[in-house]
Amino acid sequence: MKNEPFKQLLFIFVVLFAVPSMIGSGCSTDADLKDDIEDGPVPFEILKGSLSPTEYVNLCFLNFENIEDTTTNIDEGLSGIELIIDSQTELNTYIICVDTVSINFEQEFLLGGITNWNTTTLRVGDQNLELSNDTLYYQVGIINRIGHSPTRGQYLIKVLSRDYLEYPVVFDIYWDEY
């Protein structure tokens, strides 16, 4: 009976010191994952846009039948509709791709969009994806070309890691020159 309080005190010490170290040793959190990802360029593949002034990629198209278009004003900024597609269901709803395009939504996701209407012909130029200060920046350069009918620019990339879905996305659509 004299050892009973000692055993209880020993048990309390074991619980206080051993359990927190066991819990923390094998678990990771979203904050830990974010700490592992460094600022800088993010790997992606262009599915719609330009590779160069003469080389275009048209592997996917936006399905306008299922996209509610709220952008009717001409020349009111560049960014129109912005999409983050992270499931096969969303892909089937909003995007139409050629048969050769493969997207594994367990490992990848899509970023894309459409510019507002413009009075001239638009073409997508450079596309860039970068992580900076815990924010994902999707930069799309739009090239203004001489044309006589209103057009819109479409752009779409496949981000090669779902780890970046944890970050807020800023669509930076800007005028570019080639």
Side-chain angles (χ1 to χ4, degrees), residues 3-64:
N3 288 339
E4 195 66 33
F6 177 72
K7 287 181 183 179
Q8 289 175 352
L9 187 59
L10 182 62
F11 177 75
I12 291 172
F13 279 123
V14 168
V15 169
L16 286 175
F17 291 106
V19 172
S21 65
M22 289 188 306
I23 291 173
S25 65
C27 298
S28 65
T29 64
D30 288 342
D32 294 337
L33 179 62
K34 285 186 176 183
D35 290 339
D36 292 342
I37 298 177
E38 296 181 13
D39 282 1
V42 175
F44 68 92
E45 178 183 324
I46 296 174
L47 299 178
K48 181 131 185 90
S50 297
L51 295 177
S52 72
T54 58
E55 191 176 3
Y56 304 99
V57 177
N58 286 312
L59 298 174
C60 297
F61 304 89
L62 279 76
N63 184 357
F64 288 102

Side-chain angles (χ1 to χ4, degrees), residues 2-148:
K2 291 182 181 182
N3 288 339
E4 195 66 33
F6 177 72
K7 287 181 183 179
Q8 289 175 352
L9 187 59
L10 182 62
F11 177 75
I12 291 172
F13 279 123
V14 168
V15 169
L16 286 175
F17 291 106
V19 172
S21 65
M22 289 188 306
I23 291 173
S25 65
C27 298
S28 65
T29 64
D30 288 342
D32 294 337
L33 179 62
K34 285 186 176 183
D35 290 339
D36 292 342
I37 298 177
E38 296 181 13
D39 282 1
V42 175
F44 68 92
E45 178 183 324
I46 296 174
L47 299 178
K48 181 131 185 90
S50 297
L51 295 177
S52 72
T54 58
E55 191 176 3
Y56 304 99
V57 177
N58 286 312
L59 298 174
C60 297
F61 304 89
L62 279 76
N63 184 357
F64 288 102
E65 289 181 12
N66 295 327
I67 296 174
E68 183 179 338
D69 189 358
T70 59
T71 60
T72 56
N73 296 331
I74 292 178
D75 288 331
E76 203 175 275
L78 277 175
S79 189
I81 297 170
E82 301 169 347
L83 300 169
I84 300 171
I85 307 292
D86 65 355
S87 71
Q88 188 66 43
T89 302
E90 288 178 339
L91 176 72
N92 295 343
T93 302
Y94 300 113
I95 308 291
I96 300 168
C97 293
V98 298
D99 292 339
T100 58
V101 173
S102 173
I103 301 162
N104 179 351
F105 283 105
E106 291 180 12
Q107 300 172 359
E108 305 163 327
F109 66 100
L110 303 177
L111 293 176
I114 310 165
T115 65
N116 281 329
W117 286 101
N118 195 281
T119 56
T120 60
T121 302
L122 300 181
R123 186 172 67 92
V124 174
D126 290 332
Q127 296 185 65
N128 186 36
L129 188 61
E130 187 170 326
L131 180 67
S132 179
N133 297 322
D134 289 334
T135 302
L136 196 57
Y137 291 93
Y138 179 29
Q139 301 159 331
V140 180
I142 302 298
I143 299 168
N144 194 359
R145 302 175 71 188
I146 297 174
H148 299 291

Side-chain angles (χ1 to χ4, degrees), residues 154-174:
Q154 294 185 39
Y155 44 91
L156 185 68
I157 60 171
K158 175 171 56 171
V159 183
L160 302 179
S161 173
R162 282 187 72 89
D163 293 342
Y164 294 100
L165 268 174
E166 302 296 322
Y167 299 96
V169 178
V170 173
F171 286 77
D172 179 14
I173 315 305
Y174 62 92

